[in-house]
Amino acid sequence: MIEALDLSNFVERSEPGRAHITLAVEAVNCAGCIRKIENGLQKLPGIIDVRLNFTQRRVAVEWHDRETSAERIIAALKQIGYSAHPFAPERIAAEDKHETKGLLRCLAVAGFAAMNVMLLSVSLWAGNVSDMTQETRDLFHWLSALIALPAAAYAGQPFFKSAWRAIRTRQLNMDVPITVGVTLALALSLYETATHAIHAYFDSAIMLLFFLLCGRYLDQAMRQRTRRFAGNLASFKAEFAHRFGPRGELTRVPASVLQSNDIILVQPGEAVPADGMIMSGRSEVDQSLVTGETIPQPVVSGMTIYAGAINCSGALTIKVAAAGSSTLLQEIERLLLRATEAKSRTVRLADRAARLYAPVVHLTAAATALGWLLAGASFHDAVVTAVAVLIITCPCAIALAIPTVQMVGAGRLFRASIILNSGDVIERLASVDTVVFDKTGTLTLPEGVADVSSIDPDVLERAARLALSSHHPLATALARCARERIPYAGVVEESGSGVHGNIEGQEARLGSALFCGLAEPSPQTNATNGAASTIFFTHAGHVTAIPIRQRLRPDAPTVVRALMARSFDLIILSGDRSKAVEPAAKQLGITQWHAGLSPAEKIAAIENLKSGGRRVLMVGDGLNDAPALAAATVSLSPITAAQLTQARADALFLGEHLVPVWDAIAVSRRARSLMQQNLGLAIVYNALAVPIAVAGMVTPLIAAAAMSGSSILVTLNALRGRLGRRPDFVHETGSSPQAKVPIAEDVPKDLVLKDVAVTRDQLECVQ
Amino acid sequence: MNVLIYLVPMALLLGLTGLLGFMWTLRTNQYDDLDGAALRILPDDDIDAE
């Protein structure tokens, strides 16, 4: 079928006759790629500009509208050897970029000011112990004020704004003591300068802002990097839909541009791109990504169908429904809303520290001023000492302590194929004591695999090669066993039943029992026999039943054993039938398992655990898992999960292994202990510095040395997270992750997870 | 101390030049593709073009 590809939604037209598109490109990993892509596209007629962004793996192309088109550009890239995917720049990404740039600008201003004020301050400190005259000191103080005041007003904005937002909602965050400290230090210094005093704290105030901005920028940069990577992955995975135009013609459009009431066609073997109602056609759909159910369900016109379901046999015409209009989705949305509200009540470590810290700091400062007044000091001296306390206790080290560890931890998880959706995930992951797994697609791989143990290799080879011509998921699983990957000539696919053709002069059929001439499936060959589905093959009058099983992730037993050895509670909550769940649970040695659960029951189970004081990590991929993921303390999803589910998960993992679950917990625990160490260091620093400040012995020199010293110390401690071996459980349990691969070891890996192999490669390149 | 009359403005001017330079690099998106910039110096096809 030849149909036009419509990419108009991705093309931007800034001025008439010129068009622009951004494409995410796969497998770009060397300098040669840059040249090949840019030169290759440059040769096309009508191209104005091509620029490959190597860091983001995206290429931006601008061209004269009449001379070429986005489709031709993608085709040209394909010819050079790169697959490119249109990339819709989201609004969040643009805002994010704006924010990062703003922070970098503030950082530059603060850095410039800190350097120049320090230049003057060092001269002042030297002058104070030698022969500096009063006039020169005043001049230097005024110069410092001239630099520091405008710089602080500009560079302090992120903190001032955030503090104001917090105060308006009657809360305290770390930015409140920062704002109070910086403002008071600057105001006091200005007063001291005007009254010809010896000490001014301009350098402390501006240096404080510089260090804090460093922490804030690191935090932002980490989030931006993971988000960008996730954006590319989403565009690689983006599905296309066949949409009927007004005159009944079919066009291929990206699924993201479908609107309600569009009419689309879903061919056998394709995933349903949007929720909708079936208008015509009958088929079976594999809803494992939606409900966890592994046996294909029959559907007829008039029924509702969900995005992510795989169409198995017949072509379906679907009318796209508005988002959230179906009952299942409404139910899931409602559950999600409730679960998300409950989750936002958990408080981050940094905020918990801030809640304790801010009142303590402000009370200490007030007590210092009061104490000195009672002891008979002048009002001026009492205020100066109080401000010195505020400056020295400004949470410089604390504000750096957590973001730097988070960044190091996220980088480490990134190398272990885990992408975080937000920074505080690490803290929550570290606290986990119970791990809840979904079965389908989480403990097992998304694709089935043929159980070939009892089948003659020659028969299998013929069946597998015949299966190459079919779109049915069961046939696709079987086709992976084919050694010679060439389909037989003249094979016909009969929609809804199977494929038939001629092999070595004899009639061969592959498909349902009925299609292969069996009238009634016998109990042993029943399609719903235990965990397996069955596909039938006849050749030369001989019928073979080939069971297609769900395959456990290759390292699942090892990971499960390792988690159990560390006394984690493991539970399986599945939407699949208990007949399918039981063998998997038995094989893994997990005793607590529940089958046939609805999304609401999954949430109830998790909330029950949580109310028992458990901290739950939920690992799941189905649409039905989304509310449970949101309800759990923290959640992980494989990259193959349904889109809504991915958006709900706190972190995603790549690849066909389950070991990222272990890595996520291990790395996070190490990161949390570093965070606690850092907070401890900050407390020790305060315990040493505060008495000196309260005693009124803090000069600007001591303040500057103490502040930069503690900041550097916590940063170095955070960087220790990069050192050392990957926390590996293999050595602890004494077996390798490949120890027990359940069945069909000979399945070529690159075929099983083709797209994940590419993204793995990409992941390594991004590093 | 008369030397300060031109030393201090000079120091500030130098710092300010650096700051403006940084702002310029930021405005012209020079930090968008740091890895690419490192790789772009490797191919020497521009020598053939001469």
Side-chain angles (χ1 to χ4, degrees):
Chain A
M1 178 172 36
I2 298 165
E3 44 181 326
L5 177 65
D6 183 6
L7 290 175
S8 53
N9 290 69
F10 292 99
V11 178
E12 295 166 46
R13 289 190 170 74
S14 46
E15 46 188 292
R18 283 180 149 214
H20 179 99
I21 196 168
T22 310
L23 302 165
V25 192
E26 284 183 50
V28 178
N29 41 29
C30 63
C33 300
I34 303 181
R35 210 180 48 180
K36 249 164 88 185
I37 290 174
E38 291 190 349
N39 293 354
L41 286 185
Q42 210 62 268
K43 278 188 215 129
L44 291 182
I47 298 284
I48 301 167
D49 189 34
V50 186
R51 182 84 187 175
L52 179 83
N53 188 324
F54 188 80
T55 316
Q56 304 181 359
R57 306 291 200 271
R58 290 175 193 167
V59 62
V61 192
E62 195 157 333
W63 70 92
H64 290 297
D65 215 1
R66 271 173 305 160
E67 292 177 49
T68 189
S69 65
E71 293 75 24
R72 255 184 265 173
I73 289 166
I74 292 178
L77 275 171
K78 187 107 216 164
Q79 220 168 21
I80 310 172
Y82 297 93
S83 33
H85 309 268
F87 187 86
E90 319 95 5
R91 194 174 296 127
I92 312 166
E95 275 169 21
D96 229 34
K97 198 175 165 194
H98 188 72
E99 208 184 315
T100 314
K101 267 197 174 172
L103 271 176
L104 212 52
R105 229 177 259 134
C106 290
L107 186 66
V109 168
F112 157 79
M115 271 192 294
N116 284 285
V117 173
M118 204 43 91
L119 175 92
L120 296 165
S121 292
V122 172
S123 317
L124 278 166
W125 301 334
N128 284 344
V129 293
S130 55
D131 57 349
M132 186 179 257
T133 60
Q134 181 66 48
E135 292 75 28
T136 318
R137 184 183 299 129
D138 281 353
L139 172 69
F140 275 27
H141 276 164
W142 280 117
L143 278 173
S144 301
L146 187 73
I147 302 164
L149 291 177
Y154 182 79
Q157 280 176 53
F159 305 104
F160 303 158
K161 280 182 191 158
S162 150
W164 176 237
R165 270 200 302 270
I167 288 171
R168 254 197 331 204
T169 53
R170 293 171 183 283
Q171 279 173 342
L172 273 181
N173 61 8
M174 225 28 138
D175 293 333
V176 176
I178 292 170
T179 305
V180 172
V182 167
T183 319
L184 273 179
L186 288 173
L188 175 87
S189 303
L190 200 60
Y191 173 79
E192 296 282 278
T193 303
T195 54
H196 312 290
I198 298 175
H199 294 313
Y201 293 93
F202 292 114
D203 51 351
S204 300
I206 203 79
M207 200 164 66
L208 183 71
L209 284 181
F210 178 67
F211 280 132
L212 293 172
L213 282 166
C214 284
R216 196 92 15 138
Y217 176 72
L218 289 179
D219 195 36
Q220 175 78 13
M222 176 206 91
R223 266 184 294 153
Q224 207 189 11
R225 189 178 64 162
T226 53
R227 208 169 295 168
R228 207 162 51 204
F229 182 74
N232 274 10
L233 279 186
S235 81
F236 291 168
K237 271 179 42 134
E239 281 151 15
F240 283 83
H242 310 282
R243 183 170 67 182
F244 286 103
R247 280 172 287 113
E249 79 283 9
L250 268 180
T251 35
R252 256 182 98 208
V253 295
S256 55
V257 305
L258 286 180
Q259 287 174 341
S260 62
N261 295 331
D262 278 353
I263 312 287
I264 54 172
L265 179 74
V266 182
Q267 299 277 14
E270 288 180 344
V272 177
D275 304 326
M277 207 190 69
I278 299 171
M279 292 179 69
S280 63
R282 56 169 55 236
S283 173
E284 286 182 321
V285 293
D286 172 0
Q287 303 231 50
S288 61
L289 202 55
V290 182
T291 58
E293 168 65 58
T294 43
I295 302 290
Q297 304 293 315
V299 288
V300 292
S301 66
M303 284 171 76
T304 309
I305 193 164
Y306 302 104
I310 311 271
N311 184 13
C312 293
S313 40
L316 292 172
T317 312
I318 294 169
K319 184 174 179 184
V320 177
S325 64
S326 60
T327 45
L328 174 73
L329 279 183
Q330 260 174 2
E331 169 74 0
I332 283 176
E333 291 284 339
R334 194 181 60 74
L335 291 169
L336 271 177
L337 203 67
R338 224 187 61 209
T340 316
E341 269 170 19
K343 191 174 202 165
S344 63
R345 275 184 243 126
T346 59
V347 189
R348 294 196 296 167
L349 188 59
D351 290 337
R352 262 203 322 260
R355 256 183 221 178
L356 277 172
Y357 197 79
V360 169
V361 166
H362 291 158
L363 280 176
T364 318
T368 309
L370 213 67
W372 278 99
L373 277 178
L374 289 176
S378 70
F379 181 72
H380 170 261
D381 287 351
V383 171
V384 169
T385 320
V387 171
V389 170
L390 275 183
I391 293 174
I392 209 104
T393 52
C394 237
C396 196
I398 292 187
L400 273 174
I402 289 170
T404 42
V405 177
Q406 271 174 2
M407 206 196 67
V408 169
R412 191 119 197 199
L413 288 173
F414 200 71
R415 279 192 295 277
S417 313
I418 301 159
I419 306 167
L420 301 185
N421 275 347
S422 74
D424 62 323
V425 176
I426 292 180
E427 290 165 29
R428 284 186 274 134
L429 268 173
S431 68
V432 161
D433 55 18
T434 307
V435 186
V436 175
F437 290 101
D438 168 50
K439 183 188 73 77
T440 319
T442 306
L443 287 172
T444 62
L445 285 168
E447 307 94 344
V449 87
D451 184 354
V452 297
S453 47
S454 59
I455 297 161
D456 176 21
D458 288 339
V459 174
L460 177 71
E461 176 67 13
R462 286 190 207 110
R465 272 183 71 185
L466 188 59
L468 284 169
S469 311
S470 172
H471 290 295
H472 196 283
L474 293 182
T476 319
L478 179 60
R480 278 192 224 103
C481 301
R483 272 182 209 95
E484 208 172 332
R485 309 203 56 79
I486 311 158
Y488 290 112
V491 175
V492 183
E493 176 157 23
E494 269 180 35
S495 189
S497 23
V499 285
H500 63 89
N502 244 326
I503 302 174
E504 293 150 19
Q506 304 259 26
E507 161 91 0
R509 282 168 174 262
L510 180 78
S512 62
L514 209 63
F515 184 68
C516 290
L518 292 182
E520 260 321 297
S522 60
Q524 294 96 332
T525 54
N526 192 331
T528 55
N529 170 25
S533 315
T534 312
I535 190 166
F536 293 90
F537 175 65
T538 56
H539 182 234
H542 189 77
V543 183
T544 318
I546 306 168
I548 307 287
R549 287 186 200 282
Q550 293 280 305
R551 180 165 65 120
L552 285 177
R553 285 181 188 262
D555 57 347
T558 329
V559 172
V560 162
R561 263 203 310 278
L563 286 170
M564 279 177 167
R566 288 298 180 87
S567 63
F568 283 97
D569 265 331
L570 304 184
I571 300 168
I572 296 177
L573 297 179
S574 178
D576 205 353
R577 297 151 297 120
S578 55
K579 258 188 174 175
V581 181
E582 196 179 356
K586 273 218 174 108
Q587 196 175 353
L588 292 170
I590 299 177
T591 47
Q592 302 182 60
W593 56 269
H594 305 275
L597 297 181
S598 71
E601 286 167 332
K602 282 195 179 191
I603 282 205
I606 284 180
E607 271 172 358
N608 197 14
L609 284 169
K610 276 173 78 182
S611 63
R614 302 298 192 78
R615 294 175 182 276
V616 183
L617 164 64
M618 169 83 200
V619 191
D621 75 324
L623 193 59
N624 62 332
D625 294 318
L629 289 172
T633 316
V634 61
S635 51
L636 261 174
S637 271
I639 195 75
T640 47
Q643 220 161 29
L644 181 72
T645 315
Q646 278 192 22
R648 285 296 149 183
D650 291 315
L652 301 174
F653 65 92
L654 308 181
E656 62 168 340
H657 291 276
L658 194 65
V659 73
V661 175
W662 169 271
D663 280 338
I665 297 176
V667 171
S668 301
R669 291 210 160 169
R670 179 156 167 73
R672 186 181 56 174
S673 83
L674 280 174
M675 278 181 204
Q676 284 165 344
Q677 275 173 27
N678 268 355
L679 284 180
L681 280 175
I683 289 168
V684 169
Y685 153 77
N686 276 314
L688 290 176
V690 169
I692 305 176
V694 172
M697 282 162 27
V698 163
T699 62
L701 174 62
I702 293 177
M707 228 154 47
S708 43
S710 66
S711 298
I712 290 168
L713 199 65
V714 293
T715 309
L716 287 179
N717 190 41
L719 289 178
R720 277 195 326 125
R722 291 183 77 97
L723 303 174
R725 241 170 355 101
R726 168 170 174 256
D728 206 343
F729 70 92
V730 176
H731 302 280
E732 289 160 28
T733 56
S735 59
S736 80
Q738 279 82 35
K740 274 192 185 166
V741 181
I743 37 172
E745 183 119 40
D746 57 342
V747 178
K749 274 203 178 99
D750 56 330
L751 289 164
V752 176
L753 280 168
K754 210 166 162 193
D755 56 293
V756 176
V758 171
T759 53
R760 266 255 169 109
D761 169 47
Q762 239 236 334
L763 183 76
E764 273 149 24
C765 290
V766 172
Q767 276 296 300
Chain B
M1 287 286 148
N2 287 340
V3 71
L4 290 179
I5 290 171
Y6 63 90
L7 267 189
V8 169
M10 256 175 69
L12 286 182
L13 206 69
L14 278 176
L16 215 58
T17 319
L19 180 65
L20 289 180
F22 182 79
M23 290 300 186
W24 171 72
T25 59
L26 204 58
R27 213 182 41 245
T28 49
N29 298 324
Q30 297 192 29
Y31 298 97
D32 280 6
D33 187 13
L34 292 173
D35 300 341
L39 288 172
R40 273 171 200 278
I41 60 164
L42 295 176
D44 43 9
D45 51 347
D46 51 333
I47 297 172
D48 302 338
E50 275 170 19

